[in-house]
Amino acid sequence: MIERTAQMQLSPTSLEDLEEIHALYSDPRVWTHLPSGRFTDLETTRVWVQGRAAAWERHGLGSYAARDPESGALLGHGGCDLRGSEYAGGAFWNLGYRFAPEAQGRGLATELARHAMARALEVRPELPIVAFLLEHNAASAAVARKLGMTLQHRGPDAGNPDPAAIRLVFADRELTPAQLAATLA
């Protein structure tokens, strides 16, 4: 299933995208805000991609491979993935994206995020859409604000190798205590 936005062709993440997604997620230039998050081996990426592909089967939505419609080149990756426990009342859509440095600055993250949010609201409208990020990632915070998301939490980023790191949690609506707790886990 291929979906289109003004500037991109979007398809559900699959193992066919493995090499290109690995090149994106292993590029240190896309991890300047969280160097420890970079993928360092293909097997790690394979397991991660399999998880993203399975999300489409389980939840009817997940992350997209975002491609240039003319060349077919991978521009980025992202979308809404279901996180948290539905049984504990902490379920939410996690909005995330990562774009190649060459594709940044063109509004692609906002375009992908807007599309993914609309789809999440079609699939499970009762669940909030959340973007959590590090405070020094100003570009991602700007995208969240452009999308109408509001800051729900600002505090230490537990488990981050940088003890001074601050996590911001944005959402499309007020979060319940269980949902906020799930974003911080």
Side-chain angles (χ1 to χ4, degrees):
M1 156 186 79
I2 294 177
E3 300 174 41
R4 289 287 308 250
T5 67
Q7 301 180 77
M8 293 173 286
Q9 176 179 304
L10 306 175
S11 60
T13 303
S14 76
L15 280 174
E16 292 175 16
D17 306 312
L18 178 62
E19 296 286 336
E20 291 169 295
I21 288 177
H22 181 69
L24 176 67
Y25 279 79
S26 65
D27 185 339
R29 298 174 300 161
V30 297
W31 290 100
T32 57
H33 64 285
L34 183 62
S36 64
R38 187 170 72 89
F39 293 7
T40 58
D41 64 87
L42 189 61
E43 189 54 32
T44 297
T45 308
R46 179 185 314 283
V47 170
W48 188 83
V49 165
Q50 287 171 326
R52 301 290 78 72
W56 280 93
E57 294 295 321
R58 281 193 310 273
H59 309 297
L61 185 61
S63 294
Y64 294 98
R67 297 185 175 281
D68 179 281
E70 301 299 319
S71 70
L74 185 75
L75 300 168
H77 182 261
C80 287
D81 290 290
L82 194 61
R83 297 262 185 99
S85 169
E86 293 191 66
Y87 302 109
F92 63 95
W93 290 111
N94 177 54
L95 174 66
Y97 44 82
R98 194 156 312 282
F99 280 86
E102 299 78 22
Q104 294 175 9
R106 297 173 23 199
L108 297 176
T110 302
E111 189 173 311
L112 173 69
R114 197 169 269 130
H115 181 85
M117 289 176 72
R119 291 280 291 119
L121 292 173
E122 290 172 9
V123 175
R124 296 282 305 271
E126 75 279 10
L127 296 180
I129 302 169
V130 173
F132 51 89
L133 50 112
L134 294 174
E135 187 170 55
H136 64 272
N137 190 347
S140 284
V143 168
R145 287 184 179 101
K146 279 185 212 172
L147 297 167
M149 301 176 96
T150 58
L151 184 64
Q152 301 290 307
H153 173 82
R154 179 187 182 275
D157 190 32
N160 192 310
D162 176 0
I166 300 295
R167 177 179 287 201
L168 303 180
V169 177
F170 288 87
D172 70 334
R173 63 192 83 169
E174 189 171 334
L175 299 176
T176 67
Q179 290 163 336
L180 180 59
T183 71
L184 302 174

